[in-house]
Amino acid sequence: MALIEIDDLSVTFHAKGREVRAVQNVSLSVGAQESYGLVGESGSGKSTILRAICGLAPVSGGTIRIGGQPIDSPRGAAFSRQVQMVFQDPYASLHPRHTIDRTLSEPLAIHGIADADARVKRALSDVGLPPGFRFRFPHQLSGGQRQRVAIARALMLEPSILLLDEPTSALDASVQAETLNLLNRLRAERGLTFLMVSHDLAVIDHMCDRVLVMQHGRAVEELERAALATAEMKTDYARSLFAASADRMLEG
Amino acid sequence: MTLLSVKNLRVSFDTEAGLVEAVRGVSFSLGRERLGIVGESGSGKTMTGRSVLRLIRPPGRIEAEEMRFDGIDLMRASEKEMRALRGTRIAMVMQDPKYSLNPVMRVGAQLMEGLRQRDGMGKAEARAKAIAALAAVQIRDPERVMEAYPHELSGGMGQRVMIAMMLIPDPDLLIADEPTSALDVTVQAEVLSILDGLVRDRGMGLIFISHDLRLVARFCDRVLVMFKGRVVEELAAKDLMQAKHPYTQGLLNCLPRIGGPREPLPGLDRTAEWAN
């Protein structure tokens, strides 16, 4: 049975009397311990799907089920223990005036989990940060180190699902490699399920087993990883995205 | 013909923690060609670009044996002479249109400001020229964009507006500092081909600064690879795949490829003896 099931999901924003249909009738399902990618250009609605799962976007139609159960609105404590999100920009997603220690221990305090001290230490070492970073502030870390903290924070409650919203697009190429390796290692160690958004097809290909190509809020085409590598897409849009991908450029 | 020559450029900052050298002895020369500067954050690539325009404020210091642009000694030029160069002969496109355009001024007014102030042009003439510049960067509806505020434009449109703005005075040298990093891949390809066409048609020199080695290789004639303020390797873009230096190879290999192996991506070794 699929762990995440999204059926006919629509998200509509209302602004100044105008309707913006950010996501229109998208369905997808992600199996347990699978890694599923959403790819498309900005405005294609890929991040909105992640935000809708977390209750951060107004769902206007369709259903979202996790582990077979429709999710509660508003999302409760049980949801936070199961699903966590890592955001694109580690410069914006960490509280600038909280130490790393406070950022990491807050979810534990909210959920009444004891043993915070040991858990924070272990979380830092799990994402490859030295223990001395614990009492630093975000501005004292580099972009890659901050994203590691954001990943550690998402894993504090030991969720089974990680929603990754462009986790490396604000990072340098070399730091991106380190972060992707970290995510893959954590997925293998903990049996995590990933739902990952990126505009970079090469990153999605490296990380995901299946990928959904999106455009203008609609699902265009779902591809298996093998079909992506051999360029067996059926739609023109997916093919143009493939052709524009940076790693094709050297051969082109 | 050499348009710009830089010899032994050093940029340093006096900080509370002591002297920080951001650029440590960079030399290069540039004709009417496309030069790429690649490196990670903190490698000094942006500082190198800004030094050419002398846009580094105290406590930052620029030193160089020689920095010459079209016969003008940039190290000795007065502030007034530098101001005459900036924008008109050497232009710079910044990374993010969100932060580089004036948020409370309509795009049209920003485009016309320079034409009116610097060239003393009349309103109608400046407007016509601004619209032509927007059309040159393939904005389909220039009249509407002229009346828009920057927040009403997408990232790709904003970036094109900035390129249009820089190209109005027809500069001889364009310094583009990560002009496409904030953009989607599909939009990125579009903006690059616009830049490419403009550079070729107008015979400009271009310094293209980026952290994306593959992008630079496709787009430039020559590439400088920088690490910790030094140039570690200089090579023709077509020879990039035959790069000798371990750092250049590391930058190339750390990017995932479609259909590539699933094993962990190779990291960069920053501890070897060349790294000091």
Side-chain angles (χ1 to χ4, degrees), chain A residues 41-42 172-174 176-178 181 199 202 205-206 208-209 225 229 241-242 244 247 249-251, chain B residues 40-41 184-186 211 214-215 217-218 241 254-265 268 270:
Chain A
E41 48 196 281
S42 23
D172 270 6
S174 51
Q176 164 172 290
E178 289 161 17
N181 288 345
H199 67 262
D205 177 77
H206 185 74
C208 300
D209 311 317
R225 183 168 187 260
L241 208 60
F242 179 75
D247 93 302
M249 289 189 168
L250 276 186
E251 287 112 62
Chain B
E40 296 174 90
S41 338
D184 277 355
V185 248
T186 39
H211 69 260
R214 293 181 199 170
L215 192 71
R218 168 148 148 168
M241 289 320 256
C254 70
L255 288 160
R257 316 182 129 245
I258 294 176
R262 264 297 168 80
E263 56 216 41
L265 297 160
L268 267 174
R270 300 185 187 81

mmCIF file of all heavy atoms in Angstrom, chain A residues 41-42 172-174 176-178 181 199 202 205-206 208-209 225 229 241-242 244 247 249-251, chain B residues 40-41 184-186 211 214-215 217-218 241 254-265 268 270:
data_model
loop_
_atom_site.group_PDB
_atom_site.id
_atom_site.type_symbol
_atom_site.label_atom_id
_atom_site.label_comp_id
_atom_site.label_asym_id
_atom_site.label_seq_id
_atom_site.Cartn_x
_atom_site.Cartn_y
_atom_site.Cartn_z
ATOM 1 N N GLU A 41 9.270 24.096 -13.847
ATOM 2 C CA GLU A 41 9.833 25.430 -13.645
ATOM 3 C C GLU A 41 9.079 26.172 -12.543
ATOM 4 O O GLU A 41 8.090 25.663 -12.024
ATOM 5 C CB GLU A 41 9.819 26.216 -14.949
ATOM 6 C CG GLU A 41 8.532 26.192 -15.700
ATOM 7 C CD GLU A 41 8.743 26.669 -17.138
ATOM 8 O OE1 GLU A 41 8.834 27.872 -17.312
ATOM 9 O OE2 GLU A 41 8.811 25.848 -18.060
ATOM 10 N N SER A 42 9.542 27.384 -12.182
ATOM 11 C CA SER A 42 8.854 28.084 -11.100
ATOM 12 C C SER A 42 7.435 28.401 -11.541
ATOM 13 O O SER A 42 7.176 28.708 -12.699
ATOM 14 C CB SER A 42 9.578 29.354 -10.664
ATOM 15 O OG SER A 42 10.386 29.865 -11.631
ATOM 16 N N ASP A 172 26.203 25.897 -3.457
ATOM 17 C CA ASP A 172 27.217 25.670 -4.492
ATOM 18 C C ASP A 172 27.213 24.220 -4.956
ATOM 19 O O ASP A 172 26.824 23.322 -4.209
ATOM 20 C CB ASP A 172 28.605 25.931 -3.903
ATOM 21 C CG ASP A 172 29.022 27.358 -4.078
ATOM 22 O OD1 ASP A 172 28.193 28.153 -4.550
ATOM 23 O OD2 ASP A 172 30.163 27.680 -3.746
ATOM 24 N N ALA A 173 27.752 24.003 -6.148
ATOM 25 C CA ALA A 173 27.775 22.655 -6.721
ATOM 26 C C ALA A 173 28.429 21.637 -5.791
ATOM 27 O O ALA A 173 27.911 20.544 -5.574
ATOM 28 C CB ALA A 173 28.489 22.683 -8.062
ATOM 29 N N SER A 174 29.573 21.999 -5.202
ATOM 30 C CA SER A 174 30.295 21.035 -4.371
ATOM 31 C C SER A 174 29.560 20.769 -3.064
ATOM 32 O O SER A 174 29.545 19.645 -2.563
ATOM 33 C CB SER A 174 31.693 21.563 -4.089
ATOM 34 O OG SER A 174 31.601 22.879 -3.599
ATOM 35 N N GLN A 176 26.338 21.104 -2.741
ATOM 36 C CA GLN A 176 25.159 20.345 -3.153
ATOM 37 C C GLN A 176 25.460 18.849 -3.132
ATOM 38 O O GLN A 176 24.674 18.053 -2.629
ATOM 39 C CB GLN A 176 24.733 20.764 -4.562
ATOM 40 C CG GLN A 176 23.772 19.774 -5.201
ATOM 41 C CD GLN A 176 23.207 20.263 -6.510
ATOM 42 O OE1 GLN A 176 22.418 21.185 -6.545
ATOM 43 N NE2 GLN A 176 23.620 19.653 -7.594
ATOM 44 N N ALA A 177 26.630 18.469 -3.655
ATOM 45 C CA ALA A 177 27.011 17.055 -3.677
ATOM 46 C C ALA A 177 27.044 16.494 -2.262
ATOM 47 O O ALA A 177 26.514 15.413 -1.996
ATOM 48 C CB ALA A 177 28.369 16.894 -4.353
ATOM 49 N N GLU A 178 27.648 17.241 -1.323
ATOM 50 C CA GLU A 178 27.734 16.761 0.062
ATOM 51 C C GLU A 178 26.351 16.614 0.684
ATOM 52 O O GLU A 178 26.080 15.643 1.397
ATOM 53 C CB GLU A 178 28.573 17.736 0.901
ATOM 54 C CG GLU A 178 30.054 17.699 0.551
ATOM 55 C CD GLU A 178 30.792 18.936 1.028
ATOM 56 O OE1 GLU A 178 30.260 19.665 1.887
ATOM 57 O OE2 GLU A 178 31.911 19.177 0.533
ATOM 58 N N ASN A 181 24.497 13.605 -0.785
ATOM 59 C CA ASN A 181 25.046 12.372 -0.209
ATOM 60 C C ASN A 181 24.511 12.138 1.198
ATOM 61 O O ASN A 181 24.171 11.017 1.558
ATOM 62 C CB ASN A 181 26.577 12.441 -0.166
ATOM 63 C CG ASN A 181 27.195 12.326 -1.553
ATOM 64 O OD1 ASN A 181 26.528 11.921 -2.494
ATOM 65 N ND2 ASN A 181 28.448 12.701 -1.675
ATOM 66 N N HIS A 199 14.051 21.926 -9.568
ATOM 67 C CA HIS A 199 13.918 22.293 -10.976
ATOM 68 C C HIS A 199 15.057 21.660 -11.782
ATOM 69 O O HIS A 199 15.103 21.799 -12.988
ATOM 70 C CB HIS A 199 13.878 23.805 -11.152
ATOM 71 C CG HIS A 199 15.163 24.493 -10.795
ATOM 72 N ND1 HIS A 199 15.368 25.093 -9.580
ATOM 73 C CD2 HIS A 199 16.297 24.637 -11.484
ATOM 74 C CE1 HIS A 199 16.581 25.579 -9.554
ATOM 75 N NE2 HIS A 199 17.183 25.320 -10.682
ATOM 76 N N ALA A 202 18.757 16.693 -13.231
ATOM 77 C CA ALA A 202 19.895 15.830 -12.889
ATOM 78 C C ALA A 202 19.878 15.485 -11.405
ATOM 79 O O ALA A 202 20.181 14.351 -11.017
ATOM 80 C CB ALA A 202 21.203 16.517 -13.270
ATOM 81 N N ASP A 205 17.103 13.007 -10.859
ATOM 82 C CA ASP A 205 17.495 11.706 -11.381
ATOM 83 C C ASP A 205 18.420 10.987 -10.410
ATOM 84 O O ASP A 205 18.332 9.787 -10.211
ATOM 85 C CB ASP A 205 18.203 11.875 -12.730
ATOM 86 C CG ASP A 205 18.699 10.550 -13.265
ATOM 87 O OD1 ASP A 205 17.879 9.790 -13.772
ATOM 88 O OD2 ASP A 205 19.909 10.272 -13.139
ATOM 89 N N HIS A 206 19.312 11.761 -9.780
ATOM 90 C CA HIS A 206 20.255 11.156 -8.846
ATOM 91 C C HIS A 206 19.549 10.649 -7.587
ATOM 92 O O HIS A 206 19.952 9.658 -6.991
ATOM 93 C CB HIS A 206 21.328 12.170 -8.471
ATOM 94 C CG HIS A 206 22.407 11.609 -7.601
ATOM 95 N ND1 HIS A 206 23.379 10.774 -8.078
ATOM 96 C CD2 HIS A 206 22.641 11.740 -6.277
ATOM 97 C CE1 HIS A 206 24.170 10.420 -7.089
ATOM 98 N NE2 HIS A 206 23.750 10.992 -5.979
ATOM 99 N N CYS A 208 15.909 10.215 -7.055
ATOM 100 C CA CYS A 208 14.540 9.676 -7.026
ATOM 101 C C CYS A 208 14.364 8.445 -7.910
ATOM 102 O O CYS A 208 15.053 8.274 -8.906
ATOM 103 C CB CYS A 208 13.538 10.744 -7.446
ATOM 104 S SG CYS A 208 13.583 12.164 -6.360
ATOM 105 N N ASP A 209 13.383 7.602 -7.535
ATOM 106 C CA ASP A 209 13.066 6.414 -8.318
ATOM 107 C C ASP A 209 12.041 6.738 -9.405
ATOM 108 O O ASP A 209 12.080 6.168 -10.486
ATOM 109 C CB ASP A 209 12.473 5.330 -7.408
ATOM 110 C CG ASP A 209 13.329 5.135 -6.164
ATOM 111 O OD1 ASP A 209 14.555 5.103 -6.326
ATOM 112 O OD2 ASP A 209 12.783 5.042 -5.060
ATOM 113 N N ARG A 225 12.822 6.141 -13.437
ATOM 114 C CA ARG A 225 14.193 6.623 -13.564
ATOM 115 C C ARG A 225 14.855 6.098 -14.843
ATOM 116 O O ARG A 225 15.565 6.821 -15.541
ATOM 117 C CB ARG A 225 15.009 6.197 -12.345
ATOM 118 C CG ARG A 225 16.409 6.732 -12.395
ATOM 119 C CD ARG A 225 17.129 6.563 -11.085
ATOM 120 N NE ARG A 225 18.397 7.252 -11.189
ATOM 121 C CZ ARG A 225 19.547 6.640 -11.441
ATOM 122 N NH1 ARG A 225 19.580 5.345 -11.625
ATOM 123 N NH2 ARG A 225 20.659 7.339 -11.529
ATOM 124 N N ALA A 229 16.698 8.277 -18.033
ATOM 125 C CA ALA A 229 18.084 8.159 -18.482
ATOM 126 C C ALA A 229 18.159 7.907 -19.985
ATOM 127 O O ALA A 229 19.077 8.378 -20.659
ATOM 128 C CB ALA A 229 18.767 7.023 -17.730
ATOM 129 N N LEU A 241 12.479 20.032 -21.123
ATOM 130 C CA LEU A 241 13.100 20.164 -19.805
ATOM 131 C C LEU A 241 14.382 19.328 -19.748
ATOM 132 O O LEU A 241 15.400 19.736 -19.210
ATOM 133 C CB LEU A 241 12.110 19.671 -18.747
ATOM 134 C CG LEU A 241 12.209 20.257 -17.357
ATOM 135 C CD1 LEU A 241 12.016 21.751 -17.388
ATOM 136 C CD2 LEU A 241 11.173 19.621 -16.450
ATOM 137 N N PHE A 242 14.304 18.167 -20.328
ATOM 138 C CA PHE A 242 15.459 17.271 -20.400
ATOM 139 C C PHE A 242 16.590 17.920 -21.210
ATOM 140 O O PHE A 242 17.746 17.911 -20.819
ATOM 141 C CB PHE A 242 15.012 15.956 -21.044
ATOM 142 C CG PHE A 242 16.105 14.944 -21.203
ATOM 143 C CD1 PHE A 242 16.583 14.240 -20.110
ATOM 144 C CD2 PHE A 242 16.650 14.686 -22.451
ATOM 145 C CE1 PHE A 242 17.580 13.300 -20.253
ATOM 146 C CE2 PHE A 242 17.657 13.758 -22.598
ATOM 147 C CZ PHE A 242 18.123 13.060 -21.500
ATOM 148 N N ALA A 244 17.133 21.074 -21.713
ATOM 149 C CA ALA A 244 17.682 22.282 -21.092
ATOM 150 C C ALA A 244 18.515 21.964 -19.860
ATOM 151 O O ALA A 244 19.193 22.828 -19.323
ATOM 152 C CB ALA A 244 16.543 23.228 -20.710
ATOM 153 N N ASP A 247 23.316 19.328 -17.310
ATOM 154 C CA ASP A 247 24.335 18.305 -17.527
ATOM 155 C C ASP A 247 24.341 17.807 -18.962
ATOM 156 O O ASP A 247 25.241 17.092 -19.371
ATOM 157 C CB ASP A 247 24.167 17.161 -16.525
ATOM 158 C CG ASP A 247 23.328 16.046 -17.075
ATOM 159 O OD1 ASP A 247 22.185 16.340 -17.429
ATOM 160 O OD2 ASP A 247 23.823 14.912 -17.144
ATOM 161 N N MET A 249 24.638 19.920 -21.279
ATOM 162 C CA MET A 249 25.256 21.011 -22.020
ATOM 163 C C MET A 249 26.639 20.663 -22.569
ATOM 164 O O MET A 249 27.017 21.117 -23.623
ATOM 165 C CB MET A 249 25.351 22.245 -21.143
ATOM 166 C CG MET A 249 23.989 22.859 -20.902
ATOM 167 S SD MET A 249 24.120 24.421 -20.110
ATOM 168 C CE MET A 249 22.442 25.025 -20.306
ATOM 169 N N LEU A 250 27.367 19.861 -21.828
ATOM 170 C CA LEU A 250 28.720 19.565 -22.296
ATOM 171 C C LEU A 250 28.698 18.697 -23.541
ATOM 172 O O LEU A 250 29.523 18.837 -24.435
ATOM 173 C CB LEU A 250 29.507 18.863 -21.199
ATOM 174 C CG LEU A 250 30.133 19.795 -20.190
ATOM 175 C CD1 LEU A 250 31.002 19.020 -19.242
ATOM 176 C CD2 LEU A 250 30.941 20.877 -20.868
ATOM 177 N N GLU A 251 27.738 17.786 -23.585
ATOM 178 C CA GLU A 251 27.664 16.914 -24.753
ATOM 179 C C GLU A 251 27.106 17.671 -25.949
ATOM 180 O O GLU A 251 27.403 17.364 -27.077
ATOM 181 C CB GLU A 251 26.785 15.696 -24.451
ATOM 182 C CG GLU A 251 27.451 14.703 -23.527
ATOM 183 C CD GLU A 251 26.765 14.634 -22.171
ATOM 184 O OE1 GLU A 251 25.598 14.270 -22.144
ATOM 185 O OE2 GLU A 251 27.412 14.963 -21.166
ATOM 186 N N GLU B 40 33.931 28.197 -6.026
ATOM 187 C CA GLU B 40 32.896 28.090 -5.007
ATOM 188 C C GLU B 40 32.678 29.448 -4.354
ATOM 189 O O GLU B 40 33.426 30.382 -4.599
ATOM 190 C CB GLU B 40 33.355 27.108 -3.927
ATOM 191 C CG GLU B 40 33.540 25.716 -4.417
ATOM 192 C CD GLU B 40 34.135 24.868 -3.330
ATOM 193 O OE1 GLU B 40 33.360 24.296 -2.572
ATOM 194 O OE2 GLU B 40 35.353 24.804 -3.216
ATOM 195 N N SER B 41 31.674 29.532 -3.448
ATOM 196 C CA SER B 41 31.528 30.774 -2.691
ATOM 197 C C SER B 41 32.800 31.013 -1.913
ATOM 198 O O SER B 41 33.371 30.081 -1.378
ATOM 199 C CB SER B 41 30.381 30.732 -1.690
ATOM 200 O OG SER B 41 29.436 29.792 -2.003
ATOM 201 N N ASP B 184 15.337 29.475 -13.190
ATOM 202 C CA ASP B 184 15.073 28.084 -13.576
ATOM 203 C C ASP B 184 15.913 27.665 -14.768
ATOM 204 O O ASP B 184 16.284 28.508 -15.573
ATOM 205 C CB ASP B 184 13.615 27.965 -14.016
ATOM 206 C CG ASP B 184 12.713 27.794 -12.848
ATOM 207 O OD1 ASP B 184 13.222 27.683 -11.739
ATOM 208 O OD2 ASP B 184 11.504 27.773 -13.065
ATOM 209 N N VAL B 185 16.120 26.352 -14.916
ATOM 210 C CA VAL B 185 16.957 25.879 -16.029
ATOM 211 C C VAL B 185 16.460 26.337 -17.398
ATOM 212 O O VAL B 185 17.245 26.757 -18.243
ATOM 213 C CB VAL B 185 17.069 24.341 -16.102
ATOM 214 C CG1 VAL B 185 18.453 23.911 -15.769
ATOM 215 C CG2 VAL B 185 16.052 23.648 -15.249
ATOM 216 N N THR B 186 15.150 26.244 -17.615
ATOM 217 C CA THR B 186 14.641 26.598 -18.941
ATOM 218 C C THR B 186 14.816 28.093 -19.214
ATOM 219 O O THR B 186 15.205 28.500 -20.304
ATOM 220 C CB THR B 186 13.154 26.224 -19.071
ATOM 221 O OG1 THR B 186 12.520 26.509 -17.839
ATOM 222 C CG2 THR B 186 12.987 24.775 -19.413
ATOM 223 N N HIS B 211 29.302 29.723 -10.401
ATOM 224 C CA HIS B 211 29.846 28.553 -9.710
ATOM 225 C C HIS B 211 29.555 27.287 -10.504
ATOM 226 O O HIS B 211 29.966 26.206 -10.104
ATOM 227 C CB HIS B 211 29.313 28.458 -8.277
ATOM 228 C CG HIS B 211 27.847 28.126 -8.192
ATOM 229 N ND1 HIS B 211 26.895 29.085 -7.976
ATOM 230 C CD2 HIS B 211 27.196 26.965 -8.321
ATOM 231 C CE1 HIS B 211 25.713 28.509 -7.963
ATOM 232 N NE2 HIS B 211 25.858 27.221 -8.186
ATOM 233 N N ARG B 214 29.860 23.654 -15.737
ATOM 234 C CA ARG B 214 29.391 23.171 -17.038
ATOM 235 C C ARG B 214 28.736 24.268 -17.845
ATOM 236 O O ARG B 214 28.894 24.352 -19.058
ATOM 237 C CB ARG B 214 28.384 22.055 -16.834
ATOM 238 C CG ARG B 214 29.018 20.826 -16.247
ATOM 239 C CD ARG B 214 27.971 19.777 -16.094
ATOM 240 N NE ARG B 214 28.424 18.773 -15.159
ATOM 241 C CZ ARG B 214 27.654 17.824 -14.682
ATOM 242 N NH1 ARG B 214 26.400 17.777 -15.044
ATOM 243 N NH2 ARG B 214 28.127 16.942 -13.840
ATOM 244 N N LEU B 215 28.008 25.130 -17.141
ATOM 245 C CA LEU B 215 27.353 26.255 -17.791
ATOM 246 C C LEU B 215 28.395 27.169 -18.425
ATOM 247 O O LEU B 215 28.283 27.574 -19.577
ATOM 248 C CB LEU B 215 26.570 27.012 -16.722
ATOM 249 C CG LEU B 215 25.597 28.058 -17.184
ATOM 250 C CD1 LEU B 215 24.426 27.355 -17.825
ATOM 251 C CD2 LEU B 215 25.123 28.864 -15.997
ATOM 252 N N ALA B 217 31.411 26.474 -19.263
ATOM 253 C CA ALA B 217 32.141 25.823 -20.346
ATOM 254 C C ALA B 217 31.372 25.919 -21.658
ATOM 255 O O ALA B 217 31.931 26.087 -22.728
ATOM 256 C CB ALA B 217 32.377 24.359 -20.003
ATOM 257 N N ARG B 218 30.064 25.837 -21.543
ATOM 258 C CA ARG B 218 29.274 25.860 -22.758
ATOM 259 C C ARG B 218 29.204 27.271 -23.339
ATOM 260 O O ARG B 218 29.040 27.458 -24.537
ATOM 261 C CB ARG B 218 27.873 25.374 -22.414
ATOM 262 C CG ARG B 218 26.899 25.631 -23.507
ATOM 263 C CD ARG B 218 25.851 24.578 -23.543
ATOM 264 N NE ARG B 218 24.628 25.201 -24.006
ATOM 265 C CZ ARG B 218 23.571 24.538 -24.377
ATOM 266 N NH1 ARG B 218 23.574 23.242 -24.314
ATOM 267 N NH2 ARG B 218 22.509 25.151 -24.782
ATOM 268 N N MET B 241 37.011 19.103 -20.262
ATOM 269 C CA MET B 241 36.936 17.714 -19.849
ATOM 270 C C MET B 241 38.331 17.113 -19.662
ATOM 271 O O MET B 241 38.482 16.090 -19.007
ATOM 272 C CB MET B 241 36.147 16.893 -20.875
ATOM 273 C CG MET B 241 34.656 17.206 -20.881
ATOM 274 S SD MET B 241 33.971 17.460 -19.248
ATOM 275 C CE MET B 241 33.123 15.922 -19.006
ATOM 276 N N CYS B 254 31.446 16.594 -9.190
ATOM 277 C CA CYS B 254 30.515 16.598 -8.066
ATOM 278 C C CYS B 254 29.084 16.858 -8.511
ATOM 279 O O CYS B 254 28.167 16.787 -7.710
ATOM 280 C CB CYS B 254 30.943 17.610 -7.009
ATOM 281 S SG CYS B 254 30.759 19.304 -7.525
ATOM 282 N N LEU B 255 28.858 17.152 -9.787
ATOM 283 C CA LEU B 255 27.490 17.384 -10.249
ATOM 284 C C LEU B 255 26.848 16.062 -10.662
ATOM 285 O O LEU B 255 27.463 15.272 -11.357
ATOM 286 C CB LEU B 255 27.509 18.332 -11.452
ATOM 287 C CG LEU B 255 27.849 19.775 -11.129
ATOM 288 C CD1 LEU B 255 28.316 20.507 -12.363
ATOM 289 C CD2 LEU B 255 26.668 20.479 -10.529
ATOM 290 N N PRO B 256 25.603 15.837 -10.233
ATOM 291 C CA PRO B 256 24.933 14.610 -10.679
ATOM 292 C C PRO B 256 24.618 14.698 -12.172
ATOM 293 O O PRO B 256 24.482 15.789 -12.712
ATOM 294 C CB PRO B 256 23.642 14.602 -9.854
ATOM 295 C CG PRO B 256 23.415 16.005 -9.445
ATOM 296 C CD PRO B 256 24.754 16.659 -9.368
ATOM 297 N N ARG B 257 24.544 13.533 -12.826
ATOM 298 C CA ARG B 257 24.187 13.506 -14.247
ATOM 299 C C ARG B 257 22.975 12.613 -14.428
ATOM 300 O O ARG B 257 22.805 11.650 -13.720
ATOM 301 C CB ARG B 257 25.304 12.894 -15.095
ATOM 302 C CG ARG B 257 26.653 13.367 -14.751
ATOM 303 C CD ARG B 257 27.676 12.746 -15.685
ATOM 304 N NE ARG B 257 28.465 13.821 -16.186
ATOM 305 C CZ ARG B 257 28.508 14.210 -17.438
ATOM 306 N NH1 ARG B 257 27.827 13.568 -18.353
ATOM 307 N NH2 ARG B 257 29.234 15.223 -17.802
ATOM 308 N N ILE B 258 22.200 12.949 -15.446
ATOM 309 C CA ILE B 258 21.047 12.092 -15.747
ATOM 310 C C ILE B 258 21.565 10.748 -16.233
ATOM 311 O O ILE B 258 22.403 10.686 -17.128
ATOM 312 C CB ILE B 258 20.156 12.760 -16.801
ATOM 313 C CG1 ILE B 258 19.542 14.028 -16.214
ATOM 314 C CG2 ILE B 258 19.065 11.806 -17.268
ATOM 315 C CD1 ILE B 258 18.723 14.826 -17.165
ATOM 316 N N GLY B 259 21.081 9.693 -15.602
ATOM 317 C CA GLY B 259 21.539 8.360 -15.987
ATOM 318 C C GLY B 259 22.882 7.985 -15.387
ATOM 319 O O GLY B 259 23.455 6.958 -15.725
ATOM 320 N N GLY B 260 23.408 8.844 -14.516
ATOM 321 C CA GLY B 260 24.692 8.554 -13.895
ATOM 322 C C GLY B 260 24.546 7.488 -12.813
ATOM 323 O O GLY B 260 23.436 7.082 -12.486
ATOM 324 N N PRO B 261 25.669 7.013 -12.259
ATOM 325 C CA PRO B 261 25.592 5.980 -11.231
ATOM 326 C C PRO B 261 24.970 6.519 -9.949
ATOM 327 O O PRO B 261 25.007 7.722 -9.696
ATOM 328 C CB PRO B 261 27.055 5.586 -11.020
ATOM 329 C CG PRO B 261 27.836 6.770 -11.459
ATOM 330 C CD PRO B 261 27.043 7.431 -12.536
ATOM 331 N N ARG B 262 24.406 5.617 -9.145
ATOM 332 C CA ARG B 262 23.722 6.030 -7.921
ATOM 333 C C ARG B 262 24.638 6.145 -6.711
ATOM 334 O O ARG B 262 24.216 6.389 -5.614
ATOM 335 C CB ARG B 262 22.621 5.019 -7.610
ATOM 336 C CG ARG B 262 21.257 5.413 -8.105
ATOM 337 C CD ARG B 262 20.778 6.677 -7.434
ATOM 338 N NE ARG B 262 19.607 7.246 -8.064
ATOM 339 C CZ ARG B 262 18.368 6.832 -7.881
ATOM 340 N NH1 ARG B 262 18.137 5.806 -7.121
ATOM 341 N NH2 ARG B 262 17.372 7.437 -8.461
ATOM 342 N N GLU B 263 25.925 5.893 -6.894
ATOM 343 C CA GLU B 263 26.804 5.936 -5.729
ATOM 344 C C GLU B 263 26.967 7.381 -5.242
ATOM 345 O O GLU B 263 26.635 8.320 -5.959
ATOM 346 C CB GLU B 263 28.152 5.320 -6.078
ATOM 347 C CG GLU B 263 28.811 5.966 -7.257
ATOM 348 C CD GLU B 263 29.570 4.943 -8.101
ATOM 349 O OE1 GLU B 263 29.074 3.830 -8.319
ATOM 350 O OE2 GLU B 263 30.658 5.290 -8.529
ATOM 351 N N PRO B 264 27.471 7.564 -4.006
ATOM 352 C CA PRO B 264 27.651 8.920 -3.493
ATOM 353 C C PRO B 264 28.484 9.774 -4.449
ATOM 354 O O PRO B 264 29.433 9.294 -5.074
ATOM 355 C CB PRO B 264 28.392 8.698 -2.170
ATOM 356 C CG PRO B 264 28.025 7.330 -1.751
ATOM 357 C CD PRO B 264 27.808 6.544 -3.003
ATOM 358 N N LEU B 265 28.093 11.043 -4.579
ATOM 359 C CA LEU B 265 28.827 11.951 -5.454
ATOM 360 C C LEU B 265 30.186 12.244 -4.843
ATOM 361 O O LEU B 265 30.293 12.408 -3.624
ATOM 362 C CB LEU B 265 28.040 13.245 -5.605
ATOM 363 C CG LEU B 265 26.680 13.088 -6.260
ATOM 364 C CD1 LEU B 265 25.790 14.283 -5.938
ATOM 365 C CD2 LEU B 265 26.837 12.951 -7.758
ATOM 366 N N LEU B 268 34.778 17.327 -2.682
ATOM 367 C CA LEU B 268 35.983 18.039 -3.098
ATOM 368 C C LEU B 268 37.048 17.914 -2.023
ATOM 369 O O LEU B 268 36.770 18.104 -0.847
ATOM 370 C CB LEU B 268 35.651 19.516 -3.285
ATOM 371 C CG LEU B 268 35.266 19.929 -4.695
ATOM 372 C CD1 LEU B 268 34.834 21.376 -4.679
ATOM 373 C CD2 LEU B 268 36.419 19.737 -5.642
ATOM 374 N N ARG B 270 39.784 19.554 -0.250
ATOM 375 C CA ARG B 270 40.312 20.912 -0.090
ATOM 376 C C ARG B 270 41.551 20.915 0.798
ATOM 377 O O ARG B 270 41.969 21.935 1.281
ATOM 378 C CB ARG B 270 39.256 21.833 0.511
ATOM 379 C CG ARG B 270 38.010 21.940 -0.328
ATOM 380 C CD ARG B 270 37.069 22.962 0.270
ATOM 381 N NE ARG B 270 35.794 22.978 -0.410
ATOM 382 C CZ ARG B 270 34.809 22.121 -0.185
ATOM 383 N NH1 ARG B 270 34.965 21.189 0.732
ATOM 384 N NH2 ARG B 270 33.680 22.189 -0.850
#
